[in-house]
Amino acid sequence: MLAGRLFPRAADGHRFRLEDVPVPTPGPGQVLIEVAAAGVCLSDVHLIEGVLSPMYLAGDAVTLGHEVAGRVHSLGPEVHGPQPGDRVLLQAGEIRDGKTYTRGVDYDGGWAEYALAAVDTVVPIPDDLPFEQACFIPDAVSTPWAAITRTGQVRAAESAGVWGVGGLGAHGVQLLRMIGAAPIIAVDPLPAARQRALDFGADLVLDPSDPELPKKVYDATAGAGLDAAFDFAGFAPVREQAVGCLADEGRLVLVGLTDKPITITNGTIFSFRQQQLRGHYGSEPDHVLELVRLRRAHRLDFAASVSAVLPLSEAERAVHALENKEGNPIRIVLTP
């Protein structure tokens, strides 16, 4: 079968290539999935670039793809529950010996025609949810959902700011709107991204280069500032700007990943106003289950999130398009 493979220790710099590999056989506790769709995430780009590295990868190569949906093909020995033909998505990771292993990073993922999954990571999906939309619920939707509900603890009628309206931030705006945050203020340097934020439910969009941005945020929140702000970009200037827009006891949630130092220019004011800085990473399995239930009840619609669908054979083109923001993508999806 065809698979998109990462070689993280490649000495020649060619870290990614498409290869023919054997179709895996499910073992005890495993299910073989016939992949129908797999998302292309900025994390995949970072892995190919070498900015991120697998933590627990045992071999020299791994099939990429942590956002996966498809049909159950076959079951390992004495596996019960899923049935061949069932429509499912896969959780983005699994727990082994108390450690979290990430699909498509620490073990083979879904940029392939078939993928193995531990049976407890297989999640049934509604018949009316297309695979192209289901695949990215783990991560692209569940990460901002967890950031908003668990780490940010946003309540209805609280004001919220979103810095960076890409794959995560766009869904952040959509989810904040669904839970009743108000107003929702989105900040992005790209006009197309700001328009997208409005389309997804933002009340106000701003350019981060606007010198009056903090004043406009405070005006929009009746002088109070933001109860919660989310950095989906992972840049130091974003954090500084967002802190300057927080309300008393406001919290800034860091979702975008960066290896740069975290600094707050005026720590005294930050402490005096009892503001908070909260780190965030990923999501828990329950967050994915919650989102599937919400989609089953038609509280969410991800049709607008699918920017392009490309065959697996064009994975390199998809990575290039996402890296260079060609067409202002939210999610590019690969199909075998």
Side-chain angles (χ1 to χ4, degrees):
M1 69 174 185
L2 187 65
R5 303 279 281 170
L6 175 74
F7 295 81
R9 304 177 186 95
D12 60 3
H14 293 89
R15 297 169 60 91
F16 177 76
R17 56 181 177 265
L18 291 163
E19 288 192 335
D20 282 319
V21 299
V23 175
T25 300
Q30 291 184 319
V31 177
L32 182 65
I33 303 299
E34 183 178 1
V35 176
V40 181
C41 175
L42 199 57
S43 297
D44 298 312
V45 176
H46 292 332
L47 285 162
I48 293 169
E49 292 174 335
V51 176
L52 296 177
S53 298
M55 291 183 63
Y56 304 122
L57 179 62
D60 295 325
V62 66
T63 300
L64 288 172
H66 56 275
E67 300 179 342
V68 189
R71 294 184 184 275
V72 173
H73 180 273
S74 55
L75 310 178
E78 299 190 22
V79 171
H80 305 285
Q83 297 297 311
D86 285 355
R87 306 176 77 256
V88 299
L89 61 76
L90 304 182
Q91 297 278 7
E94 59 185 63
I95 305 296
R96 303 179 191 170
D97 302 322
K99 298 176 182 177
T100 300
Y101 287 70
T102 301
R103 187 182 310 280
V105 180
D106 300 310
Y107 62 99
D108 286 342
W111 287 15
E113 295 176 61
Y114 294 89
L116 287 178
V119 66
D120 59 357
T121 67
V122 175
V123 179
I125 59 174
D127 289 340
D128 65 348
L129 175 58
F131 291 120
E132 291 82 1
Q133 297 174 33
C135 66
F136 55 76
I137 290 177
D139 193 18
V141 189
S142 65
T143 292
W145 178 244
I148 291 165
T149 60
R150 182 188 65 192
T151 306
Q153 298 177 310
V154 178
R155 300 183 300 274
E158 284 194 312
S159 57
V162 170
W163 269 258
V165 193
L168 296 179
H171 292 121
V173 170
Q174 182 183 18
L175 296 166
L176 285 164
R177 183 82 181 195
M178 186 190 69
I179 68 169
I184 301 166
I185 301 172
V187 183
D188 198 289
L190 299 177
R194 294 197 294 273
Q195 180 58 53
R196 178 165 66 203
L198 290 172
D199 295 340
F200 274 58
D203 299 292
L204 175 66
V205 294
L206 298 170
D207 187 326
S209 66
D210 185 346
E212 293 195 346
L213 185 146
K215 179 182 183 300
K216 291 178 179 178
V217 170
Y218 279 97
D219 287 347
T221 55
L226 296 169
D227 295 305
F230 296 87
D231 170 16
F232 287 105
F235 295 116
V238 165
R239 296 191 291 270
E240 291 285 357
Q241 189 173 66
V243 165
C245 296
L246 289 179
D248 291 348
E249 301 184 9
R251 55 265 186 210
L252 170 58
V253 179
L254 306 183
V255 186
L257 302 179
T258 177
D259 57 359
K260 304 301 182 184
I262 297 173
T263 59
I264 296 173
T265 299
N266 196 325
T268 299
I269 291 178
F270 186 85
S271 296
F272 179 77
R273 299 186 67 188
Q274 300 182 59
Q275 295 166 334
Q276 302 171 35
L277 190 64
R278 303 182 181 182
H280 180 83
Y281 183 81
S283 62
E284 299 294 331
D286 281 351
H287 293 118
V288 173
L289 299 179
E290 289 168 358
L291 289 164
V292 171
R293 286 198 296 271
L294 287 165
R295 173 54 182 79
R296 192 183 300 275
H298 300 286
R299 297 295 192 272
L300 291 167
D301 183 355
F302 302 122
S305 300
V306 182
S307 304
V309 179
L310 297 176
L312 176 60
S313 59
E314 296 187 29
E316 289 185 270
R317 175 185 162 197
V319 169
H320 183 271
L322 181 61
E323 183 179 13
N324 294 281
K325 298 184 178 181
E326 295 177 3
N328 190 28
I330 299 177
R331 261 305 178 266
I332 299 173
V333 175
L334 299 174
T335 57

